[in-house]
Amino acid sequence: MKPKLAFYWCASCGGCEEAVVDLAEKVLDVVAAVDIVFWPVALDFKRTDVEAMPDGSIAAAFINGAIRTSEQEEMAKLLRRKARIVVAFGACAQTGGVPGLANLYDRESLLRAVYSESPSTLNPEGTRPAPHYATNGAALELPVFWDRVRALGQVIPVDYSIPGCPPTPKLLADAVAALLTGSLPERGAVLAPDKALCEECPRRESKPDKLAITRFRRPHETLIETDRCLLAQGLLCLGPATRAGCEARCIQGNMPCTGCFGATSRVRDFGAKALSSIASLTGSNDEAEIIRILENIPDPVGTFYRYSLPAAPLPGKRPNRAGK
Amino acid sequence: MTKPSARIGVYICHCGTNIAGTINVAALREFAATLPGVIVARDYKYMCSDPGQELIKADIAQHGLERVVVAACSPHLHEHTFRTACEEAGLNPYLCHMVNIREHDSWVHSGEAATAKARDLLRAAVQRVAWNRPLERRSIPIRQSVLVVGGGIAGIHAALTLANAGKKVYLVEREPTIGGHMAMFDKTFPTLDCAACILTPKMTAVKDHPNITLWTYSEVIGVEGFVGDFKVRVRRKPRYVIEDLCVGCLECIEACVYKQPKFYDEFNQGLGKRKPIYIPFPQAVPQVVVIDPETCIEFKSGKCKKTCLEACGERQAIDFGQQETIETIEVGAIILATGYKAFDASRIPYYGYGVYPNVYTALEVERLINAAGPTGGELVLRDGRKPRSVGIVHCVGSRDEHTNRWCSRVCCMYSLKLAHLVKERTGAEVYNFYIDMRTPGKAFEEFYNRVAEEGVHFIRGKVADVYPAETDGRLILRAEDTLLGQVRKIPVDMVILATGLEPQADATEVRRLFNISCSSEGWFLERHPKLAPVNTFTDGIFLAGCCQGPKDIPDTVAQAGAAAAEAMQLLDTGSIELEPNTAYVLEEVCSGCKTCVGLCPYNAISFLPEKNVAQVNEALCKGCGTCVAACPSASIRQHLFEDEQIFEEVVGVLA
Ligand SMILES: Cc1cc2nc3c(=O)[nH]c(=O)nc-3n(C[C@H](O)[C@H](O)[C@H](O)COP(=O)(O)OP(=O)(O)OC[C@H]3O[C@@H](n4cnc5c(N)ncnc54)[C@H](O)[C@@H]3O)c2cc1C
Ligand code: SF4
Ligand code: SF4
Ligand code: SF4
Ligand code: SF4
């Protein structure tokens, strides 16, 4: 019997689903080798179908996206029961991802911004999403919108993570192959190399031994050279802090790494590590000058914690009030 | 990593009542006994004493302890003691960890809070020590040579002491001659020895000593390395005269196209004049002339007849094309003897220095009195008259909120010396205005009495003002005589300002260059004011003379001798043990991002392009941790400060 796989999405943009589709012709190999028993984006199975499966009957569930609503939490827990292996697929599942930046605000501010204050909103009755809604005698149940965004691993035990925003098809194919051949590493591992990206960056040789950055530039502010280390050009490339495995795809596209592959296993706080190492590269010993240089970095939280705020030791702007 | 299990012994020191007077040591011991892994917990009056150390050794043998935690004073004081005790009992010394419950706790907290904090600190230590790993010290040979910076009496004495003991010495002096301030004086207090008579033999001895390399007109521009193995770069400024060829005949000076000396003479405080080619003073060492390119016609226009060159003739010592050279030397120790600078008297406008020609600084008068000075030792005013009355103002720029707060220690004494010399040379009436008479040295008070008996007038009061009398233009010193309780105005022909001692203008740069500390005033900081007075906080760098603080020549020489002895002791140990708390790169995961490479303050990290990894040179690494914190992929770790150890400590303290 072919091993059963499940794919599910939680708070995510859909990019990770694209990564599966991007397997292209390889997708057929995968489909030939496994049974996909659940994949809401592509196949018409329902939650009840999963509930009907015996516990532990799915070989592996690939769950992408962070956990923001009650429904996502329920589905994560359901798949955890049914699957022998749960893989956090992509940055949002692994560390909270871009949706996790919402943790800089509480639920009330978010709802107020979206349902009242945003310039394009017309909502004179002040309607807000509610878990129970009755109209014309029909009752509607909606998921509860939690106060915080959580990474998958903060809701259920996760066996493996595949990093990336989104992960590369190659990493997915490698993971499936390892699953099929029983060559997965120890549980808890991140299925990507444990070195930083500079290692596989095609520009690494042009990186000078000593960087002394006197101005950080945003990509639109400069004509980016295509063959020189981006950091050496003053572009905030997070490659030195970011796990390798993406084949330096942003750099190949002449854009600096924003860190979607997260930290290496040895680092506990991606943002703090990246921030402190970048700060140490400023080319000045004068405090005022250093501040001036660093002020060129827009939105420090969004820059350094773009993909990992919920998983960080300081996971947001205010204390986590019971997570809900 | 899984948490290691280890058999831990905990020892709590009373430090007499220093700790036990505040912290409940019995309760702490009982608490320690409940911590995971702790096999024995004891408290004792003085853990650092022999019986205290024996407790640890006996328990290691009897209970097979694998880790030791000592809660006592600062590791600065006794870490070495307890590590050694463990080592003697067969336990790797780095499996012993100290908790500071004295400076960090009993001395700064009280009541139950102190005991509670001790519990937190102890829990943290017990949790962390389980992760400690055995480490080996490394040993490197010490280079058998010493660099002495500054050729005043301090540097001269230190250099000679070392050289006589068979050590190779490099003496680097930035002026064209050695001698420092002492070379400017005629006599020295309190014995009135002739300064030149006692100093010049030592200066010549320096020049002639086979173990001393003397580089004058030179400056240290770079220092790398560490105790036992410093690499120092020295810039030798061009003097446009080849040192090895100049025989010191001074014929070139005679022959210079300037028939008369015309330019500001630094050594004589501008009271005399010199030519563009000159020697600072007749006994200068080395006896080699210098050309000042700022005033030499050849340098300014290229059109000089170069009569000096002709006079030098076959000796061919003059070289207008000389370039600066950079020498690199390797030494095991460094002695800093960069001395002081005199307070700039024009900073106190009401004393009129620079306004009234007959207001002099003490250093100027030292030159006037000096037989080799600009007047041949005649004490005369600028118009050539002999002064009939002289006022000496003590404490100029010292002991004053608005200038320097410190006492410069030598001014009272040299003012007495000058009072005596002035009286001796001119027969003038001399008035010394002092705030307090400070004569605490050997034979100092006797000297004061002698000068008083010679008829010098002493007025106890701070001079408020110096101004010219309307009638005859003499200078009036106005001061409140605090003994008489009345304001006195005393007219004199000459005012001498006893200017205090200040750190050199470039003390901060020099401090940075050698990576040592300064007091807030700018004096180089000794490691301990009583017990390590010539050591600095940087191992292998010692202090001698006034760069550490104002002092007279006897103290300077004593200190220079002490610094030489310390350096010698260091050199004679032959090799040096390096702490093993160094950083190391996890080569298999280093991405070669090079973030660390440029950050190491000790240049200990190099990049290996063929392997695409960074590498730490353990002999150079000082364990500062900069690279460890900066490595963005956490691929550098540090012995004794491993992540697990630190995190366990943090978790323990917060538990
Ligand atoms: C007016 C006056 C009179 C005094 N009379 C007496 C007295 O009678 N008896 C007495 O005991 N004391 C007297 N003193 C005190 C005496 O001058 C000092 O105790 C003594 O000179 C200190 O010697 P030193 O070698 O530490 O410093 P210095 O004499 O200042 O020598 C320091 C040397 O280091 C050199 N140097 C500085 N920086 C550098 C550098 N970066 N690189 C290379 N070289 C450098 C300088 O050029 C100088 O040659 C008097 C002081 C004053 C101001
Ligand atoms: S900093 Fe960025 S551009 Fe430079 S070598 Fe590393 S990954 Fe490549
Ligand atoms: S270069 Fe950086 S941001 Fe881009 S895909 Fe790779 S890890 Fe993600
Ligand atoms: S810890 Fe790192 S930065 Fe500090 S001295 Fe050692 S190698 Fe250099
Ligand atoms: S900072 Fe870390 S990853 Fe980068 S070169 Fe140094 S050791 Fe290697």
Short mmCIF file of all heavy atoms in Angstrom, two decimals, chain B residues 537-570:
data_model
loop_
_atom_site.label_atom_id
_atom_site.label_comp_id
_atom_site.label_asym_id
_atom_site.label_seq_id
_atom_site.Cartn_x
_atom_site.Cartn_y
_atom_site.Cartn_z
N PHE B 537 46.28 47.00 33.91
CA PHE B 537 45.29 45.94 33.74
C PHE B 537 45.60 45.09 32.51
O PHE B 537 44.97 44.07 32.29
CB PHE B 537 43.88 46.52 33.67
CG PHE B 537 43.39 46.98 35.00
CD1 PHE B 537 43.48 48.31 35.38
CD2 PHE B 537 42.87 46.07 35.90
CE1 PHE B 537 43.06 48.73 36.63
CE2 PHE B 537 42.44 46.48 37.15
CZ PHE B 537 42.53 47.81 37.52
N THR B 538 46.54 45.54 31.69
CA THR B 538 46.94 44.72 30.56
C THR B 538 48.22 43.98 30.94
O THR B 538 49.23 44.61 31.26
CB THR B 538 47.20 45.61 29.33
OG1 THR B 538 46.02 46.37 29.10
CG2 THR B 538 47.51 44.78 28.10
N ASP B 539 48.17 42.68 30.93
CA ASP B 539 49.33 41.90 31.34
C ASP B 539 50.52 42.24 30.47
O ASP B 539 50.40 42.38 29.25
CB ASP B 539 49.02 40.40 31.19
CG ASP B 539 48.01 39.95 32.23
OD1 ASP B 539 47.88 40.64 33.25
OD2 ASP B 539 47.35 38.92 32.00
N GLY B 540 51.67 42.37 31.10
CA GLY B 540 52.90 42.59 30.33
C GLY B 540 53.19 44.04 30.06
O GLY B 540 54.21 44.37 29.47
N ILE B 541 52.30 44.96 30.48
CA ILE B 541 52.57 46.39 30.30
C ILE B 541 52.69 47.03 31.68
O ILE B 541 51.81 46.88 32.52
CB ILE B 541 51.49 47.07 29.45
CG1 ILE B 541 51.44 46.39 28.07
CG2 ILE B 541 51.78 48.56 29.31
CD1 ILE B 541 50.60 47.11 27.05
N PHE B 542 53.81 47.70 31.90
CA PHE B 542 54.10 48.27 33.21
C PHE B 542 54.28 49.78 33.10
O PHE B 542 54.49 50.31 32.01
CB PHE B 542 55.38 47.63 33.78
CG PHE B 542 55.30 46.12 33.82
CD1 PHE B 542 55.86 45.36 32.80
CD2 PHE B 542 54.63 45.48 34.85
CE1 PHE B 542 55.77 43.97 32.81
CE2 PHE B 542 54.54 44.09 34.87
CZ PHE B 542 55.11 43.34 33.86
N LEU B 543 54.22 50.45 34.26
CA LEU B 543 54.30 51.91 34.29
C LEU B 543 55.48 52.36 35.12
O LEU B 543 55.79 51.75 36.15
CB LEU B 543 53.03 52.49 34.93
CG LEU B 543 51.71 52.09 34.28
CD1 LEU B 543 50.56 52.67 35.10
CD2 LEU B 543 51.65 52.63 32.85
N ALA B 544 56.11 53.45 34.68
CA ALA B 544 57.19 54.01 35.48
C ALA B 544 57.15 55.53 35.36
O ALA B 544 56.94 56.07 34.27
CB ALA B 544 58.55 53.49 35.00
N GLY B 545 57.32 56.21 36.46
CA GLY B 545 57.48 57.65 36.45
C GLY B 545 56.17 58.40 36.40
O GLY B 545 55.11 57.89 36.77
N CYS B 546 56.24 59.64 35.92
CA CYS B 546 55.13 60.56 36.06
C CYS B 546 53.95 60.24 35.14
O CYS B 546 52.90 60.84 35.29
CB CYS B 546 55.61 61.99 35.82
SG CYS B 546 56.60 62.60 37.21
N CYS B 547 54.08 59.35 34.20
CA CYS B 547 52.91 59.02 33.39
C CYS B 547 51.83 58.39 34.26
O CYS B 547 50.66 58.41 33.92
CB CYS B 547 53.27 58.10 32.22
SG CYS B 547 53.97 56.52 32.71
N GLN B 548 52.23 57.88 35.42
CA GLN B 548 51.26 57.24 36.32
C GLN B 548 50.71 58.26 37.32
O GLN B 548 49.67 58.02 37.93
CB GLN B 548 51.95 56.06 37.02
CG GLN B 548 51.11 55.30 38.02
CD GLN B 548 51.38 55.75 39.45
OE1 GLN B 548 52.32 56.49 39.73
NE2 GLN B 548 50.53 55.33 40.36
N GLY B 549 51.39 59.39 37.47
CA GLY B 549 50.95 60.40 38.42
C GLY B 549 52.15 61.24 38.81
O GLY B 549 53.29 60.80 38.66
N PRO B 550 51.92 62.45 39.34
CA PRO B 550 53.05 63.32 39.68
C PRO B 550 53.93 62.70 40.75
O PRO B 550 53.42 62.08 41.69
CB PRO B 550 52.38 64.59 40.23
CG PRO B 550 50.95 64.49 39.84
CD PRO B 550 50.63 63.06 39.67
N LYS B 551 55.21 62.84 40.58
CA LYS B 551 56.14 62.37 41.61
C LYS B 551 57.51 62.99 41.36
O LYS B 551 57.77 63.51 40.27
CB LYS B 551 56.19 60.84 41.64
CG LYS B 551 56.57 60.17 40.33
CD LYS B 551 56.58 58.66 40.45
CE LYS B 551 55.23 58.05 40.68
NZ LYS B 551 54.29 58.18 39.55
N ASP B 552 58.38 62.93 42.36
CA ASP B 552 59.69 63.53 42.20
C ASP B 552 60.67 62.49 41.62
O ASP B 552 60.30 61.34 41.35
CB ASP B 552 60.19 64.12 43.51
CG ASP B 552 60.28 63.07 44.61
OD1 ASP B 552 60.22 61.86 44.28
OD2 ASP B 552 60.37 63.44 45.78
N ILE B 553 61.90 62.90 41.48
CA ILE B 553 62.87 62.01 40.83
C ILE B 553 63.15 60.75 41.66
O ILE B 553 63.15 59.65 41.11
CB ILE B 553 64.16 62.78 40.47
CG1 ILE B 553 63.83 63.86 39.43
CG2 ILE B 553 65.23 61.85 39.94
CD1 ILE B 553 64.91 64.90 39.24
N PRO B 554 63.35 60.89 42.99
CA PRO B 554 63.59 59.65 43.76
C PRO B 554 62.47 58.63 43.60
O PRO B 554 62.72 57.44 43.39
CB PRO B 554 63.67 60.15 45.21
CG PRO B 554 64.05 61.59 45.12
CD PRO B 554 63.51 62.09 43.84
N ASP B 555 61.22 59.09 43.66
CA ASP B 555 60.10 58.16 43.50
C ASP B 555 60.04 57.61 42.08
O ASP B 555 59.70 56.44 41.86
CB ASP B 555 58.77 58.85 43.82
CG ASP B 555 58.59 59.04 45.32
OD1 ASP B 555 59.52 58.65 46.07
OD2 ASP B 555 57.54 59.58 45.73
N THR B 556 60.36 58.47 41.12
CA THR B 556 60.35 58.04 39.73
C THR B 556 61.34 56.91 39.52
O THR B 556 61.04 55.89 38.90
CB THR B 556 60.70 59.24 38.81
OG1 THR B 556 59.69 60.22 38.94
CG2 THR B 556 60.80 58.80 37.36
N VAL B 557 62.53 57.10 40.06
CA VAL B 557 63.58 56.10 39.88
C VAL B 557 63.19 54.80 40.59
O VAL B 557 63.35 53.70 40.05
CB VAL B 557 64.93 56.65 40.38
CG1 VAL B 557 65.98 55.55 40.40
CG2 VAL B 557 65.37 57.80 39.48
N ALA B 558 62.63 54.94 41.80
CA ALA B 558 62.22 53.74 42.53
C ALA B 558 61.17 52.98 41.74
O ALA B 558 61.22 51.74 41.61
CB ALA B 558 61.67 54.13 43.90
N GLN B 559 60.24 53.72 41.17
CA GLN B 559 59.17 53.07 40.43
C GLN B 559 59.71 52.43 39.15
O GLN B 559 59.29 51.35 38.75
CB GLN B 559 58.10 54.11 40.10
CG GLN B 559 56.77 53.49 39.85
CD GLN B 559 55.76 54.48 39.38
OE1 GLN B 559 56.13 55.52 38.81
NE2 GLN B 559 54.49 54.18 39.59
N ALA B 560 60.67 53.13 38.52
CA ALA B 560 61.26 52.58 37.29
C ALA B 560 61.97 51.27 37.61
O ALA B 560 61.90 50.30 36.85
CB ALA B 560 62.23 53.59 36.69
N GLY B 561 62.64 51.24 38.76
CA GLY B 561 63.30 50.01 39.17
C GLY B 561 62.28 48.90 39.39
O GLY B 561 62.48 47.74 38.99
N ALA B 562 61.17 49.26 40.03
CA ALA B 562 60.13 48.27 40.28
C ALA B 562 59.55 47.74 38.97
O ALA B 562 59.33 46.53 38.80
CB ALA B 562 59.03 48.88 41.14
N ALA B 563 59.31 48.66 38.03
CA ALA B 563 58.75 48.23 36.74
C ALA B 563 59.73 47.30 36.04
O ALA B 563 59.33 46.28 35.45
CB ALA B 563 58.46 49.45 35.87
N ALA B 564 61.03 47.64 36.12
CA ALA B 564 62.04 46.78 35.49
C ALA B 564 62.03 45.40 36.15
O ALA B 564 62.11 44.37 35.47
CB ALA B 564 63.41 47.42 35.60
N ALA B 565 61.90 45.38 37.49
CA ALA B 565 61.90 44.10 38.19
C ALA B 565 60.69 43.26 37.78
O ALA B 565 60.80 42.05 37.56
CB ALA B 565 61.90 44.33 39.70
N GLU B 566 59.53 43.92 37.66
CA GLU B 566 58.33 43.18 37.25
C GLU B 566 58.51 42.60 35.85
O GLU B 566 58.15 41.47 35.57
CB GLU B 566 57.10 44.10 37.27
CG GLU B 566 56.67 44.56 38.63
CD GLU B 566 55.87 43.50 39.39
OE1 GLU B 566 55.54 42.45 38.80
OE2 GLU B 566 55.60 43.72 40.59
N ALA B 567 59.07 43.43 34.96
CA ALA B 567 59.27 42.96 33.59
C ALA B 567 60.26 41.80 33.58
O ALA B 567 60.06 40.80 32.87
CB ALA B 567 59.79 44.11 32.72
N MET B 568 61.28 41.92 34.41
CA MET B 568 62.30 40.88 34.47
C MET B 568 61.71 39.59 34.99
O MET B 568 61.96 38.51 34.47
CB MET B 568 63.41 41.34 35.42
CG MET B 568 64.75 41.07 34.86
SD MET B 568 66.03 42.09 35.50
CE MET B 568 65.53 43.16 36.67
N GLN B 569 60.91 39.72 36.04
CA GLN B 569 60.26 38.54 36.60
C GLN B 569 59.43 37.84 35.53
O GLN B 569 59.47 36.63 35.39
CB GLN B 569 59.37 38.95 37.77
CG GLN B 569 58.59 37.78 38.35
CD GLN B 569 57.29 38.22 38.96
OE1 GLN B 569 57.25 38.76 40.05
NE2 GLN B 569 56.20 37.98 38.26
N LEU B 570 58.70 38.65 34.78
CA LEU B 570 57.88 38.08 33.72
C LEU B 570 58.75 37.35 32.70
O LEU B 570 58.51 36.20 32.35
CB LEU B 570 57.09 39.19 33.04
CG LEU B 570 56.29 38.80 31.81
CD1 LEU B 570 55.10 37.95 32.23
CD2 LEU B 570 55.78 40.04 31.08
#
